[in-house]
């Protein structure tokens, strides 16, 4: 067996009464773990290769802790704690970054993103939705929806309240990972699988989906959809401020360059280069026809917005008289961009 793994993690999670996984928490996932550690783990749990999620007992966790101690002290300490667990334990081993096959595998890849071990769209997440059960996220953890009414009654009979925070496939990131150096005004608006870079501030109406995020430092006041990755902001305090919608998804990656401003209720469907500004209320899709203006506001040509993707120093706006989408470039755009940032 090859001792090279893409990822390895020891997890503790929740199963329903039928023994099906609802969620898994990985405190210290590893990317490209050392071969010696992989070999030691494989020998104890009977791993023979491929992508597998192997349920282990408390006794096996204790044996793993002892075997890992000379190889990785942090993982050994984690396994020592897991050996005391009253909840199900699992070892998830990914030999390759291929399509997902189980709920523990799906949760491991979401953890890799939120732990900043990989960036959005760097992982194969094919098949993730059927593998993430729709569950009730409650004050007592994840609960299978078919079991929720009975659990609510049990709580009431004990004089307790079982609070349901959401019903969704994805939990909030901060119940699993709290990245360093961030400010999150409403953590419920950031899903597990979001990449939130150092220095990022997400305001109350900000939202970051899974497989999306910010490199940081950034100010997020709008929606960052799956497939979008916002680049670093400028060093002069603005960061990249998003108050509108950044839409990606599928095989599309929408990147946002440094020092950009996307105004309130605005949105993009194309990657932006550095120091771009999109006027408030304007949604620029790949097929949007754009009047390209010169420094004297004279029409140069009409292009589709996709032709302006990744270009720096652009100002996108809508003509208030004609309704046409316009784009100014070069010196004028730079000056207007700087002026808008100074008032933001």
């Amino acid at each position: 067996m090859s001792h090279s793994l893409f990822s390895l993690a020891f997890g503790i999670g929740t199963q329903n009464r039928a023994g099906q996984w609802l969620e898994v928490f990985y405190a210290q996932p590893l990317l490209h773990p050392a071969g010696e550690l992989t070999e030691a783990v494989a020998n104890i749990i009977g791993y023979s290769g491929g992508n597998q999620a192997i349920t282990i007992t408390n006794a096996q966790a204790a044996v793993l802790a002892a075997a890992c101690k000379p190889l990785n002290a942090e993982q050994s300490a984690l396994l020592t704690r897991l050996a005391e667990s009253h909840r199900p334990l699992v070892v998830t081993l990914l030999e390759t970054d291929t399509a997902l096959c189980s709920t523990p595998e799906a949760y491991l890849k979401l953890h890799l993103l939120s732990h900043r071990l990989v960036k959005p769209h760097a992982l194969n997440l094919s098949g993730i939705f059927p593998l993430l059960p729709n569950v009730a996220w409650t004050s007592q953890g994840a609960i299978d929806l078919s079991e929720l009414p009975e659990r609510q009654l049990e709580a009431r009979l004990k004089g307790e309240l079982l609070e349901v925070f959401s019903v969704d496939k994805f939990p909030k990131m901060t119940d699993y990972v709290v990245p360093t150096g961030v400010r999150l005004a409403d953590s419920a608006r950031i899903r597990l699988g979001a990449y939130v870079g150092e220095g990022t501030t997400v305001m109350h109406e900000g939202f970051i989906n899974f497989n999306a995020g910010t490199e940081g430092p950034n100010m997020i006041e709008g929606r960052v959809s799956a497939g979008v990755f916002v680049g670093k902001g400028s060093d002069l305090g603005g960061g990249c401020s998003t108050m509108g919608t950044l839409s990606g998804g599928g095989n599309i990656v929408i990147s946002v360059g440094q020092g950009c401003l996307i105004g309130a209720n605005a949105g993009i469907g194309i990657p932006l280069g550095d120091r771009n500004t999109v006027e408030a209320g304007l949604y620029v899709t790949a097929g949007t026809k754009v009047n390209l203006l010169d420094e004297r506001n004279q029409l140069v040509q009409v292009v589709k917005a996709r032709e302006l993707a990744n270009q720096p120093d652009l100002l996108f706006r809508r003509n208030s008289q004609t309704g046409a989408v316009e784009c100014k470039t070069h010196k004028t755009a730079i000056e207007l961009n700087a002026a808008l940032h100074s008032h933001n």
Side-chain angles (χ1 to χ4, degrees), residues 213-216 218 220 224 228-232 240 242 246 254 256-257:
T214 66
E215 192 168 7
N218 303 100
I220 303 299
V224 182
V228 175
F229 190 60
V230 182
K232 290 183 179 180
C240 177
T242 68
L246 287 72
I254 303 296
V256 178

Side-chain angles (χ1 to χ4, degrees), residues 110-338:
L110 293 177
H111 277 74
L112 292 176
L113 285 159
S114 290
H115 275 277
R116 300 176 181 157
L117 295 175
V118 293
K119 291 184 178 180
H121 265 265
L123 288 174
N124 186 341
L125 297 178
S126 300
I128 190 171
F129 287 101
L131 296 172
L132 294 176
N134 196 31
V135 302
W137 301 100
T138 78
S139 53
Q140 295 182 13
I143 297 178
D144 189 296
L145 291 177
S146 65
E147 300 169 5
L148 180 61
E150 184 178 347
R151 292 283 296 272
Q152 289 174 315
L153 177 59
E154 289 175 357
R156 293 284 181 167
L157 293 173
K158 297 176 183 177
E160 301 172 353
L161 173 64
L162 176 60
E163 186 174 359
V164 179
F165 301 116
S166 67
V167 177
D168 195 6
K169 288 178 173 290
F170 292 84
K172 63 181 180 181
M173 181 187 71
T174 52
D175 283 349
Y176 295 79
V177 184
V178 179
T180 58
V182 301
R183 292 171 52 205
L184 310 175
D186 185 352
S187 62
R189 298 180 63 84
I190 303 165
R191 281 174 150 181
L192 180 64
Y195 183 111
V196 187
E198 185 91 17
T200 296
T201 295
V202 184
M203 298 302 290
H204 294 81
E205 295 304 316
F207 171 83
I208 304 180
N209 209 341
F210 83 102
N211 203 26
T214 66
E215 192 168 7
N218 303 100
M219 171 68 73
I220 303 299
E221 297 184 74
R223 179 182 178 87
V224 182
S225 299
V228 175
F229 190 60
V230 182
K232 290 183 179 180
S234 65
D235 293 334
L236 298 176
C240 177
S241 176
T242 68
M243 294 176 284
T245 300
L246 287 72
S247 299
N251 294 319
I252 302 172
V253 181
I254 303 296
S255 60
V256 178
Q258 300 181 20
C260 292
L261 170 63
I262 299 173
N265 299 315
I268 59 169
I270 61 169
L272 296 183
D274 295 342
R275 300 174 301 279
N276 275 212
T277 295
V278 180
E279 182 184 69
L282 176 62
Y283 205 113
V284 181
T285 67
T288 299
K289 290 186 177 180
V290 180
N291 291 345
L292 196 59
L293 306 180
D294 63 17
E295 296 178 2
R296 298 189 300 275
N297 291 328
Q298 298 300 307
L299 178 65
V300 177
Q301 61 178 317
V302 178
V303 300
K304 289 187 177 180
R306 65 169 61 93
E307 298 178 47
L308 301 173
N310 295 310
Q311 297 300 311
D313 302 311
L314 301 181
L315 168 66
F316 293 91
R317 70 185 188 187
R318 188 178 296 280
N319 187 300
S320 61
Q321 292 182 318
T322 67
V325 177
E326 300 175 338
C327 178
K328 294 178 69 70
T329 62
H330 306 307
K331 181 179 178 181
T332 305
I334 296 172
E335 292 173 349
L336 288 171
N337 187 294

